[in-house]
Amino acid sequence: MNIQSSSSERARLGILMLDSTFPRILGDVGNADTWPFPVRYAIVPGATPHAVVCEDSEPFVQAFIEAGRGLVAEGCTGIATTCGFLAPLRSRLASALGVPVAASSLEQAPQIAACLPADKRVGILTISASTLSSALLQSAGVPPKTPVQGVDGGSFAKCILGNETRLDVAAARAEMEAGAKALVSAHPNVGAILLECTNMVPYAQDIHTATGLPVHSIYGYLRWFHQSLAPSHFDN
């Protein structure tokens, strides 16, 4: 199933959506109004948040490829996904689709780390620390021993992973702030926070206010990614 954004301008960025029913509030990668440019979506049947985050994304590889091919056929020249846990699929998606792929927010970790002072490191806030394996982090190029803090078990995680139809935004905001503070408290040398989960973007400013640190997410990543697909014009 494909969903076009409301803009009549051609969509260069195609976004592969998990099979979800939870609310896509403003700021969420799956809300077309989040983006200052047109996007095109394709839902991957059966690839629910719980299946991808808590089980295994491997059974859905071909389904992601097929959905991606549909987006490329419709004119998309770059593909992204809506889950940080899909980093292991990036190389296969890029090879199969023949276009650049941004599969996970985690892929930014090496560049973020390179920007920080020598005594600082990037820290990751994730929806599920219990299933964010070292192998998955390695597939995204995340530096070894990068600190990770989860919001496992809270109302936000239960809503997203359980595909619930109601999201308590205020509770989710409080959980993000608490998780970020716990990350920084446990690892005082964290100099920037990277949000693994694409659904955490609406709370990025709250996390920044709570910690005073730079906050990176899929939002900044895909704005950078899109700039290469549709470079800005400067009328000189």
Side-chain angles (χ1 to χ4, degrees):
M1 177 181 178
N2 289 353
I3 308 169
Q4 173 86 51
S5 71
S6 59
S7 172
S8 60
E9 182 185 348
R10 177 185 172 186
R12 300 284 184 174
L13 178 62
I15 302 179
L16 295 170
M17 294 271 285
L18 295 187
D19 195 348
S20 61
T21 56
F22 59 80
R24 297 282 187 173
I25 64 174
L26 189 61
D28 189 290
V29 66
N31 183 330
D33 290 333
T34 294
W35 306 104
F37 44 76
V39 298
R40 184 178 288 274
Y41 293 105
I43 296 171
V44 180
T48 64
H50 189 275
V52 170
V53 173
C54 302
E55 297 174 4
D56 188 3
S57 61
E58 285 298 315
F60 304 102
V61 172
Q62 193 56 41
F64 274 95
I65 289 173
E66 290 304 319
R69 284 175 174 161
L71 291 172
V72 171
E74 292 166 352
C76 295
T77 56
I79 298 296
T81 84
T82 58
C83 182
F85 277 71
L86 292 172
L89 275 61
R90 176 171 57 167
S91 61
R92 284 174 286 175
L93 284 174
S95 295
L97 302 180
V99 298
V101 173
S104 169
S105 177
L106 295 173
E107 292 157 7
Q108 302 173 91
Q111 183 60 44
I112 298 169
C115 291
L116 295 175
D119 62 341
K120 296 294 184 179
R121 63 198 310 189
V122 61
I124 295 172
L125 190 64
T126 177
I127 192 172
S128 178
S130 62
T131 58
L132 189 62
S133 68
S134 57
L136 193 154
L137 292 170
Q138 184 177 14
S139 73
V142 176
K145 299 182 179 179
T146 294
V148 174
Q149 173 68 44
V151 293
D152 311 47
S155 65
F156 171 81
K158 289 178 180 177
C159 173
I160 302 302
L161 299 179
N163 241 346
E164 298 177 356
T165 56
R166 181 181 178 277
L167 171 65
D168 187 332
V169 175
R173 179 176 292 110
E175 290 164 7
M176 297 304 146
E177 293 173 347
K181 288 179 179 178
L183 173 64
V184 174
S185 176
H187 304 277
N189 63 342
V190 165
I193 296 174
L194 174 57
L195 307 182
E196 166 276 316
C197 180
T198 63
N199 313 113
M200 290 179 172
V201 177
Y203 318 102
Q205 187 178 60
D206 302 295
I207 293 168
H208 169 70
T209 300
T211 63
L213 295 177
V215 179
H216 299 265
S217 70
I218 193 68
Y219 183 69
Y221 188 28
L222 294 190
R223 291 195 67 171
W224 168 85
F225 186 69
H226 182 267
Q227 177 63 25
S228 71
L229 307 176
S232 299
H233 172 74
F234 300 96
D235 192 7
N236 291 309

